[in-house]
Amino acid sequence: MEKTFEVIVVGGGFAGVAAVRALGRAGVEVLLIDQNNYHQFQPLLYQVATAQIGVSDVTRTFRGMFQRYRSATVLTARVAAVDVQAHTVTTSDGDTFHAQILVLAAGAEANYFNTPGAEENAYPLYSVTDAVRLGNALVHALDAAQRQGSGSGGVHVVVVGGGPTGVETAGAIAENFKYVVPKYFSNDVAARSSVHLVDMVPSVLTPFSDRNKAYATRRLRQAGVRLKMGSGVTEVRRDGVDFADGASLPSQIVVWAGGLKAGTLIAQSGLPQGRGGRIDVNPDLTAPGTTGVYVLGDAANMTDSRGEKLPQLGSCAQQAGKWAARNILADLKGGRRKPFAYLDKGYMAMIGRGAAVAEIGRKRWQIQGPLAFLAWLAVHVVLLSGKRQRVSALISWADDYLTHSRSHVVLGGPDRG
């Protein structure tokens, strides 16, 4: 038997959560379906992997988030199929749900660009599970190097992708090797370990200004990150990485931050896919060729009022979720939808201890160093979903900054059998 709602939202990322909140506040009967029962704050997953903050700092249960909205229902289930014409969603349990309006905000997955060995041997960083698995692998590798003693070659990490995720991850791991590992392991292990950041493009942080790219490069090197830019990865092996220029790097751990693509659900939806497998949505965030179907967040290629491509950022997805909710309310009441008006807040990336770069607003006001670091902290505290998460993260950051201690534990079983 089909269960009917006014709106079904598939996916509880930034866009999905923002849409459910706005619809629930308006009293709309909305169903959120996600394979997890919690929202995860993806921009800080690399800090979970490096034990700077705990899992509970970046997660919050959906039911806790929406408990004040009586018209909002949460279902923890894996979506097996969607029918964009019939507005139905079928879960892997065989249950089918129908809605007047369907919102697809199912997120994305790592795009390995058909690189041999990448999917099998690299660690993506897009979910809490990914972060815990990577953190677990780092701890296992350090333990192994410690057991081997002075004969160990150390722990060698290659981070693929010079965008913000890759830069932040490489910087965090390098600072761990430099400051934290000597406190918990031997100095020999720390001295023999290395972090490489690699990409086929010639410099890190491509969307940023030359000035900020130069600053980021300098600070990464000061932290101990070795850069190999301008040559693409041709294969990821269990013991290293090969490049198009014939070079290779040995490594026990490869982190894949080389890009994202829309997930399988979008690929199977029958909607026409564009760049990155995402849906090129209409200006009002609806899917082309459909009625009453919205696609948001990392599942969508969105443009502003001038037709310029919008970034795959959490703040953009959050704004899109709120805007879509307004248009959905107009749909339900017989009103008119409005084109998405994105408020450009700019870009920022953490590089390491007291170091960040930021380009604020549409005019891209550039700041670097401690001021950008404080701006980064402020923005991420605001974006975190709950008061407890904000307070806990601030305490963790302060403790880490002052002591370089790691009170958080990465939980998990043996890595890779």
Side-chain angles (χ1 to χ4, degrees):
M1 179 178 176
E2 281 190 2
K3 301 176 183 178
T4 302
F5 293 82
E6 289 182 284
V7 180
I8 294 177
V9 177
V10 179
F14 286 111
V17 164
V20 172
R21 273 181 166 156
L23 294 170
R25 193 177 297 118
V28 174
E29 290 187 350
V30 55
L31 171 67
L32 171 69
I33 307 178
D34 195 283
Q35 64 182 349
N36 301 310
N37 67 354
Y38 56 85
H39 170 70
Q40 50 194 354
F41 190 80
Q42 292 168 340
L44 294 180
L45 291 177
Y46 77 94
Q47 293 198 3
V48 174
T50 52
Q52 295 178 61
I53 58 178
V55 169
S56 61
D57 296 338
V58 298
T59 57
R60 190 181 178 194
T61 63
F62 292 125
R63 290 180 176 87
M65 298 173 76
F66 306 137
Q67 61 181 341
R68 70 178 70 177
Y69 310 125
R70 294 185 179 181
S71 64
T73 302
V74 174
L75 175 64
T76 304
R78 187 179 296 275
V79 174
V82 296
D83 187 327
V84 297
Q85 302 303 326
H87 294 184
T88 61
V89 177
T90 302
T91 69
S92 58
D93 298 324
D95 295 324
T96 300
F97 302 87
H98 177 268
Q100 290 179 246
I101 296 174
L102 185 60
V103 179
L104 303 181
E109 59 188 38
N111 190 347
Y112 298 105
F113 300 100
N114 298 316
T115 305
E119 187 170 1
E120 297 83 1
N121 298 318
Y123 292 85
L125 196 52
Y126 191 68
S127 69
V128 169
T129 301
D130 292 339
V132 171
R133 182 168 169 261
L134 173 57
N136 193 41
L138 287 166
V139 172
H140 276 284
L142 288 165
D143 281 336
Q146 179 81 8
R147 289 195 302 271
Q148 292 169 14
S150 59
S152 165
V155 177
H156 303 290
V157 178
V158 173
V159 180
V160 180
T165 299
V167 165
E168 292 179 339
T169 302
I173 296 174
E175 288 201 336
N176 268 12
F177 286 168
K178 187 174 183 179
Y179 299 111
V180 180
V181 170
K183 296 180 66 172
Y184 299 97
F185 298 87
S186 68
N187 287 332
D188 187 60
V189 169
R192 293 175 181 270
S193 297
S194 67
V195 181
H196 289 80
L197 179 62
V198 306
D199 203 325
M200 64 185 298
V201 299
S203 64
V204 299
L205 300 178
T206 298
F208 289 71
S209 68
D210 289 343
R211 178 168 170 259
N212 275 342
K213 284 188 283 192
Y215 175 84
T217 298
R218 183 170 68 254
R219 290 305 302 253
L220 284 168
R221 286 175 171 155
Q222 289 174 356
V225 178
R226 304 174 189 179
L227 301 179
K228 178 173 175 52
M229 310 300 292
S231 184
V233 173
T234 57
E235 184 176 2
V236 178
R237 297 175 281 103
R238 288 181 66 89
D239 61 351
V241 176
D242 295 333
F243 297 90
D245 62 3
S248 63
L249 286 172
S251 65
Q252 292 99 321
I253 297 172
V254 177
V255 183
W256 193 269
L260 298 170
K261 63 179 181 179
T264 304
L265 186 67
I266 295 297
Q268 296 175 348
S269 68
L271 295 171
Q273 294 176 268
R275 176 175 49 90
R278 295 180 285 268
I279 307 303
D280 295 329
V281 295
N282 297 319
D284 59 8
L285 303 175
T286 58
T290 65
T291 301
V293 178
Y294 291 78
V295 185
L296 308 175
D298 285 337
N301 290 321
M302 299 179 287
T303 57
D304 63 14
S305 57
R306 299 179 299 177
E308 294 184 6
K309 297 176 181 177
L310 297 180
Q312 304 296 131
L313 296 175
S315 60
C316 185
Q318 192 175 65
Q319 290 182 48
K322 294 178 181 178
W323 198 276
R326 296 192 194 107
N327 281 344
I328 289 169
L329 290 173
D331 289 338
L332 295 174
K333 296 176 181 179
R336 296 182 61 183
R337 293 188 295 268
K338 295 182 179 180
F340 179 36
Y342 172 57
L343 176 59
D344 190 345
K345 298 180 180 180
Y347 306 97
M348 56 178 55
M350 169 81 78
I351 301 164
R353 183 182 175 89
V357 291
E359 298 185 10
I360 307 299
R362 187 176 291 276
K363 293 186 177 181
R364 297 292 185 264
W365 300 106
Q366 299 179 34
I367 54 176
Q368 305 171 341
L371 184 59
F373 176 75
L374 292 174
W376 184 96
L377 290 177
V379 167
H380 285 74
V381 166
V382 170
L383 286 174
L384 280 167
S385 63
K387 293 180 181 178
R388 196 209 62 76
Q389 285 78 8
R390 295 184 186 111
V391 171
S392 180
L394 282 170
I395 293 172
S396 297
W397 286 331
D399 183 50
D400 175 65
Y401 191 87
L402 295 172
T403 69
H404 284 305
S405 66
R406 289 290 187 270
S407 59
H408 297 288
V409 178
V410 177
L411 300 176
D415 181 66
R416 288 184 179 172

